[in-house]
Amino acid sequence: MDKAFPCEGKEWLFDSAQGHMNLNTPIAELPRVGPQSQKKLKRLGIKTVGDLLFHFPHRYEDFSNLIPVSSAAQEIGKVICLQGKIVDIKNIRIFKRSMTITEAQVEDSTGKIRATWFNQPYLVNTFKPGDFVFLAGKMAEKNGKKYLSSPSYEKIPAQFARGEESYDSTHIGRLIPVYPETEGMSSRWLRFIIKPILTQLKNEIPESLPEDLRRKNDFLEIQKAIWQIHFPDSLAQAEAAKKRFVFEELLNLSLIILREKMNLAREKTVTVPINLDIVKKFVGLLPFKLTNDQKKAVWQILKDMEKPKPMNRLLDGDVGSGKTVVAAMAALNTVKAGFQTAIMAPTEILARQHHKTFILALKKFRLEIGLITGKENHIDGKKVKRSELLERTKTGQIEILVGTHALIQETVEFKKLGLVIIDEQHRFGIDQRMKLARKQDFIPHLLSMSATPIPRTLALTIYGDLDLSLIKELPKGRKKIITQIVPPEKRKDAYDFIRSEVQSGRQVFVICPRIEPSAKPAEGYFDERAASWADVKAVKEEYEKLKKTIFPDLKVAMLHGRMKAEEKEKVLKSFKEAKSDILVSTSVIEVGIDFPNAAIMAIEGADKFGLAQLHQFRGRVGRGENQSYCFLFTDFIRNPRLRAVVKSQDGFELAEKDLKLRGPGDLTGQRQWGFPDFVMASLADVELLEKTRNAAKEILQKDPQLKKFPLLREKLNAFRKRIHLE
Ligand code: ADP
Ligand code: MG
């Protein structure tokens, strides 16, 4: 139920003195949005009035069915809504438990009822006897007395109570919007802020869908739709509004991706001939045989790079499927043709790991391989000065440069960059590619690697501009990770097992569940800021519990998304060096890092995660020689989803299942895409995806520069920023 809202009753609107509010007005200029609230809103990515109005509810509560007070008594245990007059209100202090109960008597023409609230003593000032109110809450019964327990409330202004005007209520007596609540911002507060703004601005919101497209699909006009999505007259109207906005989001996404593809096709690149001798030599030196999927992927990549058209390929394969060797072959072939290769990783620790792996894998070929991060500069594993690293990159002596985001800094300049490989990253737009190759007259080929198995249907839309190479087959001889569902009564056994594994030298991950639905990420390159405080709290609690009560004899460490990057690196590094036994973390910890000694992945509240995500966590163990285990802690042992994870170790299969079961929310990382919840759910709708893709094609065929749609163009630019294409 809603938290109390202290400003209740003071309706506010912009008066004419402040009357120049528009969609671009910063939220800081809104009355009653204090610095605290501003901060919270900003974390949701809401900076302007427009952002606020486009922050949509994710569901509705039906508080429209008002019942007469006399029938409330029959509804024990149910949520009811009623309308009545306060006849009495008082606070009762219970000293023993140091709390206050506020008790009100409410009546209508049919009868009287008691309503109670806990620890909200100020309510006696909010309501006076004689006030008319809406109340909504659960009917309860205690010691034979029936009462309405901690109801939500909305005061009805006097002129409406007298029936002189009809009152459009906000919180009760209608369908009320429930927003994804984050960082302690209640839906009640959001309704209170949004409604008056919407009332004032609704006629100024410009239509952003092309008119013929809107008519053809029978979509609501934007001004009606935005009202109906916040304060719907009926669920059908809310649904209709949502349909329109979902279509628009997906259309924008398709437009961006198709335009990106068109723009890329116009760019010049270099052709990189296939050097079969070198490729064969490399394969011959490997201590294992490539899988068929690896061979196929290498071939597709090398074939792409032979063409004068910039490659834009996604190499998608489960953790441990062996993407790095494939990337190494592409890099080697590029270098042998006389071009440089850049490899970009999302974190320093991953960049370091790649640097090492590439040095090792390409040892026999005597390449010069550099590493650049925020503070490190290495060549072939040895420390050098940054100036030397940059100089040798510029002259082309460094043939492969591995790095973090530091790679796209102004100062890094390549001589002839032929290939860019990005690992576990956000999308990499043309602009970023050009930035890397700013001094050359061609753009490099791009190979993007991801360990998130993406079902084909989805890949077509969100990666529609990328060609896809899938590695579905794991290298032979991999030990299966033994996966077990752990119900509460088996928890002790699991802990005992964990202790014995640690005592024989293994390490353990513990993942805590995400608490709140994730927010839109704030801007910034990495995901970590999307971590909610509730997640952090959960991690801290779990950490304390394990350290103090369960494993006081072991070394427990903690990692969460609100830690500074350096701090995180430190924790990860010390775990890698086996200076801690157990690492407790949120779900946002990086993929791709090798911890060969980690043999147990324990997931708390496993039922809260999607299949694909559970599978990804599991992929963080089992990289070494030892038999590895994955424990799914849960209170719901009959959960069929968890059973699927126990049964299958095939990421793509689990991803397909996940998409069908709960939409792609966890799959592609909502945090990564910055889509609101309501759009994520629709990404499973193949028909809709096709429809929007076709609509986008049609628009671009007629008007590739979107000259006739300036507003759409503007929206696309904002959208591009949101999905980190630039
Ligand atoms: P990822 O796809 O997660 O990046 P890696 O490339 O790190 O996977 O490979 C995981 C491990 O598997 C590495 O130690 C690598 O040497 C090994 N590997 C890769 N391909 C094969 C193969 N075909 N047979 C056996 N081991 C392989
Ligand atoms: Mg990898």
Side-chain angles (χ1 to χ4, degrees):
M1 205 77 0
D2 286 330
K3 291 191 198 83
F5 185 62
C7 310
E8 188 61 27
K10 295 177 201 143
E11 283 294 334
W12 58 276
L13 278 171
F14 280 82
D15 53 34
S16 49
Q18 303 159 310
H20 52 267
M21 176 176 66
N22 59 44
L23 293 177
N24 297 322
T25 304
I27 46 166
E29 288 175 25
L30 294 175
R32 304 215 190 279
V33 180
Q36 271 316 95
S37 310
Q38 281 172 39
K39 238 164 102 185
K40 288 175 185 169
L41 287 170
K42 280 197 178 139
R43 271 197 211 120
L44 290 173
I46 298 172
K47 290 185 205 132
T48 64
V49 163
D51 296 337
L52 189 60
L53 295 186
F54 282 87
H55 181 64
F56 294 156
H58 63 154
R59 63 186 180 87
Y60 303 90
E61 226 155 331
D62 190 352
F63 283 177
S64 58
N65 190 19
L66 299 171
I67 65 168
V69 168
S70 60
S71 31
Q74 285 119 54
E75 306 287 332
I76 301 299
K78 292 197 193 123
V79 173
I80 59 151
C81 309
L82 50 81
Q83 184 178 5
K85 186 166 80 178
I86 304 258
V87 285
D88 183 36
I89 184 160
K90 60 173 184 279
N91 282 333
I92 303 166
R93 306 265 337 243
I94 301 183
F95 290 101
K96 250 196 317 202
R97 286 191 277 159
S98 66
M99 65 179 197
T100 308
I101 295 177
T102 305
E103 201 177 279
Q105 299 289 335
V106 180
E107 69 169 24
D108 69 2
S109 59
T110 68
K112 210 186 310 184
I113 194 166
R114 192 159 61 108
T116 61
W117 292 269
F118 293 99
N119 288 332
Q120 300 179 43
Y122 53 84
L123 286 177
V124 297
N125 302 320
T126 308
F127 301 120
K128 292 270 163 289
D131 280 351
F132 282 87
V133 288
F134 284 119
L135 296 178
K138 210 178 210 172
M139 278 304 292
E141 182 170 11
K142 207 170 173 186
N143 306 330
K145 286 185 182 163
K146 294 168 179 168
Y147 62 99
L148 193 52
S149 169
S150 294
S152 291
Y153 50 83
E154 179 171 0
K155 221 159 132 172
I156 305 170
Q159 75 268 30
F160 298 109
R162 287 193 298 270
E164 289 156 15
E165 283 173 61
S166 72
Y167 178 54
D168 182 17
S169 60
T170 306
H171 308 294
I172 300 172
R174 60 169 307 130
L175 284 170
I176 63 151
V178 181
Y179 298 88
E181 291 185 14
T182 328
E183 323 259 356
M185 247 185 341
S186 74
S187 283
R188 185 181 187 88
W189 187 81
L190 280 167
R191 291 194 289 270
F192 180 80
I193 297 292
I194 290 174
K195 197 170 183 192
I197 299 178
L198 196 55
T199 307
Q200 186 168 329
L201 284 187
K202 67 173 184 218
N203 297 329
E204 290 172 32
I205 298 169
E207 180 56 71
S208 42
L209 266 182
E211 185 57 20
D212 55 339
L213 201 56
R214 190 188 69 73
R215 280 173 197 274
K216 199 171 105 191
N217 289 285
D218 223 2
F219 288 136
L220 296 181
E221 288 164 39
I222 196 160
Q223 299 180 352
K224 181 158 187 213
I226 199 160
W227 187 267
Q228 289 300 325
I229 204 163
H230 284 290
F231 301 102
D233 295 335
S234 65
L235 278 180
Q237 286 288 304
E239 224 17 74
K242 188 176 134 186
K243 214 166 120 190
R244 180 218 136 98
F245 288 117
V246 168
F247 183 89
E248 201 172 347
E249 287 270 327
L250 294 177
L251 176 74
N252 290 352
L253 174 65
S254 291
L255 281 170
I256 285 178
I257 282 168
L258 288 174
R259 283 183 88 195
E260 187 85 358
K261 198 171 183 172
M262 280 165 43
N263 291 340
L264 190 65
R266 275 200 291 273
E267 295 293 334
K268 257 194 13 211
T269 189
V270 282
T271 59
V272 180
I274 303 179
N275 188 331
L276 264 185
D277 291 341
I278 283 288
V279 171
K280 278 191 185 144
K281 186 171 167 202
F282 180 89
V283 174
L285 285 167
L286 286 173
F288 46 73
K289 274 178 73 175
L290 290 176
T291 63
N292 285 329
D293 282 352
Q294 282 174 314
K295 283 186 206 156
K296 201 166 132 198
V298 171
W299 192 243
Q300 286 171 327
I301 293 164
L302 297 184
K303 275 287 182 199
D304 275 0
M305 295 182 65
E306 251 188 345
K307 295 180 194 131
K309 199 181 105 194
M311 170 169 79
N312 209 24
R313 187 167 281 278
L314 175 66
L315 178 59
D316 189 13
D318 241 331
V319 174
S321 61
K323 296 183 291 293
T324 321
V325 205
V326 175
M329 286 169 87
L332 176 64
N333 190 63
T334 305
V335 170
K336 287 296 170 188
F339 300 100
Q340 291 161 290
T341 298
I343 299 161
M344 191 155 129
T347 61
E348 296 187 356
I349 198 164
L350 263 178
R352 238 175 274 137
Q353 179 180 306
H354 276 319
H355 183 225
K356 260 198 205 150
T357 314
F358 272 77
I359 291 175
L360 207 68
L362 299 169
K363 206 162 80 194
K364 286 271 156 44
F365 299 90
R366 301 175 182 285
L367 307 186
E368 191 165 320
I369 304 178
L371 171 72
I372 183 167
T373 70
K375 42 189 188 294
E376 288 160 308
N377 311 282
H378 289 235
I379 296 178
D380 297 336
K382 286 187 255 344
K383 251 189 203 156
V384 294
K385 283 215 182 83
R386 168 135 326 189
S387 55
E388 187 185 345
L389 185 78
L390 292 176
E391 183 58 29
R392 292 181 80 81
T393 304
K394 195 171 161 183
T395 56
Q397 279 154 298
I398 288 187
E399 293 160 299
I400 297 178
L401 184 59
V402 185
T404 54
H405 207 211
L407 269 171
I408 35 181
Q409 279 167 3
E410 298 301 325
T411 46
V412 182
E413 195 183 300
F414 291 89
K415 182 162 179 249
K416 272 162 92 181
L417 183 63
L419 172 65
V420 177
I421 299 172
I422 60 171
D423 190 23
E424 305 296 349
Q425 289 257 12
H426 287 132
R427 299 189 53 120
F428 204 69
I430 300 178
D431 303 354
Q432 283 166 311
R433 255 156 110 166
M434 286 182 165
K435 219 167 167 184
L436 266 174
R438 66 177 77 79
K439 286 281 158 67
Q440 44 193 62
D441 56 1
F442 61 91
I443 75 164
H445 295 282
L446 179 76
L447 177 65
S448 173
M449 300 197 283
S450 168
T452 311
I454 304 162
R456 219 166 231 294
T457 45
L458 194 58
L460 256 178
T461 298
I462 59 180
Y463 294 114
D465 54 337
L466 298 179
D467 297 308
L468 206 52
S469 292
L470 300 182
I471 307 188
K472 292 198 164 190
E473 180 188 3
L474 285 187
K476 285 211 178 60
R478 279 281 153 80
K479 284 206 186 84
K480 275 223 158 83
I481 297 164
I482 297 173
T483 307
Q484 261 169 13
I485 298 175
V486 184
E489 68 272 16
K490 289 276 166 63
R491 190 172 272 272
K492 190 174 171 303
D493 296 348
Y495 285 149
D496 289 345
F497 184 79
I498 288 176
R499 172 173 284 104
S500 72
E501 282 288 294
V502 171
Q503 278 159 357
S504 48
R506 305 288 92 77
Q507 287 171 288
V508 182
F509 286 110
V510 176
I511 304 270
C512 298
R514 267 170 62 199
I515 308 293
E516 285 173 301
S518 78
K520 261 196 253 172
E523 80 269 57
Y525 204 76
F526 296 117
D527 292 339
E528 33 255 57
R529 266 182 284 175
S532 81
W533 284 112
D535 288 351
V536 174
K537 190 164 156 263
V539 170
K540 284 185 177 156
E541 279 170 11
E542 183 69 22
Y543 168 74
E544 293 292 327
K545 179 183 114 188
L546 292 180
K547 195 172 125 157
K548 294 210 173 111
T549 38
I550 316 250
F551 301 117
D553 49 330
L554 305 181
K555 279 168 281 174
V556 186
M558 161 175 79
L559 185 74
H560 60 72
R562 299 264 178 183
M563 283 159 85
K564 288 211 181 76
E566 291 144 49
E567 250 181 293
K568 285 172 67 175
E569 295 268 343
K570 232 166 86 188
V571 172
L572 284 168
K573 193 157 169 267
S574 106
F575 189 64
K576 191 156 180 154
E577 291 163 2
K579 287 182 186 147
S580 46
D581 306 314
I582 298 176
L583 182 60
V584 185
S585 80
T586 39
S587 53
V588 291
I589 65 163
E590 11 287 303
V591 243
I593 306 177
D594 275 329
F595 297 100
N597 197 38
I600 298 181
M601 168 57 68
I603 304 165
E604 286 291 339
D607 45 280
K608 301 231 165 48
F609 293 107
L611 302 183
Q613 212 176 1
L614 290 170
H615 178 69
Q616 273 218 337
F617 296 150
R618 178 167 59 186
R620 287 172 200 168
V621 295
R623 304 221 191 163
E625 323 261 87
N626 308 299
Q627 175 60 54
S628 294
Y629 304 86
C630 176
F631 294 144
L632 308 169
F633 287 108
T634 180
D635 297 343
F636 307 96
I637 46 169
R638 293 200 196 293
N639 187 321
R641 294 195 294 113
L642 296 186
R643 291 191 173 176
V645 179
V646 171
K647 258 204 235 129
S648 171
Q649 310 241 348
D650 178 340
F652 285 95
E653 187 189 316
L654 290 171
E656 285 292 350
K657 243 191 205 145
D658 215 16
L659 183 64
K660 285 198 194 100
L661 281 172
R662 34 184 278 164
D666 296 305
L667 213 71
T668 46
Q670 179 178 4
R671 293 156 189 241
Q672 181 163 334
W673 282 88
F675 278 131
D677 287 347
F678 75 97
V679 178
M680 288 311 288
S682 312
L683 286 179
D685 186 341
V686 179
E687 234 167 276
L688 179 66
L689 291 176
E690 230 157 72
K691 200 162 149 188
T692 49
R693 205 161 51 235
N694 289 336
K697 269 188 203 153
E698 220 170 285
I699 292 176
L700 288 176
Q701 260 159 21
K702 283 190 221 141
D703 185 1
Q705 299 308 319
L706 299 175
K707 287 202 176 95
K708 275 182 281 177
F709 307 106
L711 191 64
L712 187 60
R713 222 168 51 212
E714 201 179 294
K715 278 216 156 176
L716 288 187
N717 283 336
F719 195 101
R720 272 177 68 94
K721 290 210 176 95
R722 208 174 80 205
I723 63 174
H724 303 293
L725 260 175
E726 53 195 65

